Amino acid sequence: MGVEGPIFRRQKIDFKSQDEITDFAVADQKAFIISRSRHLSRIDIHADNDSKGIDIVRSDGKVLDFWPDQKGEAAIFSVLQNGMPCSLLWTSSSNRVKQIKELKNMSITAASWISSSRLIAGNSNGEMFSFSIDSSDWSFKGGSMGTTVKVHFESDEKTPITGISSFTFETQPGNKSFSSSARRVVLATTSSNLIHFIGTDAVESLDQVFSGYTAGVNVINFPANGTFESKLVVTPI
């Protein structure tokens, strides 16, 4: 059966940036626009007048990349400030960003939200790690953010993780390959490899997803005559 009518619909947004747009993302009907490599504008696509703007870094800083959560209410930023890499958290309930001290001097190169307070990320040293953020402290009223960081995988290449994507699926009844529990898939890329993991899903811990893999077995090499610097985008079907 064919699909009738257009798949996509074009909608005009009443927004005109006064500066060069350097990055862009969409999450849950909210557009995230980075201009001058440092200023964030978040626009509700269905309510043009509902927009928020904030400088993520000072004039001498630069936003390298960012990852909004599924609901468009928070985002992690990988930035350069004073010539040093750092990671920042922004939420819609705050008018400023907060440095994630546990990730200080670490350059995040890829990330994927798996819940409203937990992410899988990769860095420039080829490490894949998860970290959680205590949502009760998102108001930034002093104290620690409650961030916990755990490294799950280190690539043999020691080259940057260039993309990460994660999704879950339910196993079919009678499938002898997997238990009846929901499974989580994590895919990651470097400039020359695709790395995959699969295991029982548990938001509070990813140990069962990353455990049990022999080094190299879960790595698919890209053609040796090419490298790939683009972000990884995976959509389950």
Side-chain angles (χ1 to χ4, degrees):
M1 180 181 295
V3 177
E4 297 182 0
I7 300 176
F8 302 103
R9 178 172 61 90
R10 186 171 64 178
Q11 178 177 332
K12 183 178 179 180
I13 300 175
D14 187 17
F15 174 82
K16 186 174 182 180
S17 176
Q18 301 299 316
D19 300 287
E20 178 187 11
I21 294 176
T22 52
D23 210 340
F24 176 80
V26 174
D28 194 28
Q29 307 297 319
K30 299 176 182 69
F32 290 74
I33 300 170
I34 302 294
S35 55
R36 293 174 292 162
S37 296
R38 68 184 185 90
H39 182 82
L40 167 68
S41 298
R42 191 195 70 158
I43 304 169
D44 190 323
I45 295 175
H46 294 301
D48 294 346
N49 59 346
D50 183 13
S51 62
K52 294 186 177 183
I54 183 176
D55 283 338
I56 301 300
V57 292
R58 298 187 297 271
S59 58
D60 60 340
K62 181 179 182 179
V63 174
L64 301 176
D65 211 337
F66 75 106
W67 301 272
D69 73 340
Q70 298 94 327
K71 296 182 179 180
E73 298 298 326
I76 295 291
F77 291 83
S78 177
V79 308
L80 279 178
Q81 191 72 73
N82 298 323
M84 298 295 293
C86 65
S87 302
L88 306 175
L89 170 68
W90 169 88
T91 72
S92 60
S93 61
S94 177
N95 58 3
R96 63 187 181 96
V97 294
K98 177 77 171 181
Q99 182 177 354
I100 305 175
K101 295 181 179 179
E102 290 81 355
L103 302 180
K104 187 177 181 180
N105 298 331
M106 180 187 295
S107 179
I108 293 181
T109 52
S112 176
W113 291 76
I114 61 173
S115 73
S116 60
S117 60
R118 181 175 285 271
L119 299 92
I120 306 172
N123 62 23
S124 56
N125 296 323
E127 295 177 325
M128 291 178 61
F129 56 95
S130 62
F131 65 98
S132 60
I133 300 171
D134 184 359
S135 59
S136 65
D137 193 45
W138 278 13
S139 60
F140 306 152
K141 294 179 180 178
S144 171
M145 290 179 64
T147 306
T148 57
V149 179
K150 183 172 184 178
V151 176
H152 297 281
F153 174 81
E154 297 180 47
S155 71
D156 294 334
E157 304 170 298
K158 305 297 182 183
T159 55
I161 302 295
T162 57
I164 290 180
S165 184
S166 177
F167 57 90
T168 59
F169 67 91
E170 299 288 339
T171 57
Q172 298 295 322
N175 188 331
K176 297 181 179 180
S177 299
F178 299 113
S179 66
S180 59
S181 303
R183 315 297 287 186
R184 176 169 294 279
V185 176
V186 176
L187 298 174
T189 55
T190 65
S191 60
S192 58
N193 289 321
L194 171 66
I195 309 163
H196 67 93
F197 303 89
I198 184 171
T200 303
D201 183 42
V203 173
E204 65 278 3
S205 174
L206 294 172
D207 290 345
Q208 294 188 62
V209 177
F210 288 92
S211 64
Y213 281 88
T214 303
V217 174
N218 57 323
V219 175
I220 301 172
N221 292 317
F222 290 137
N225 60 349
T227 58
F228 304 84
E229 301 295 343
S230 61
K231 297 179 182 179
L232 173 70
V233 178
V234 176
T235 301
I237 59 173

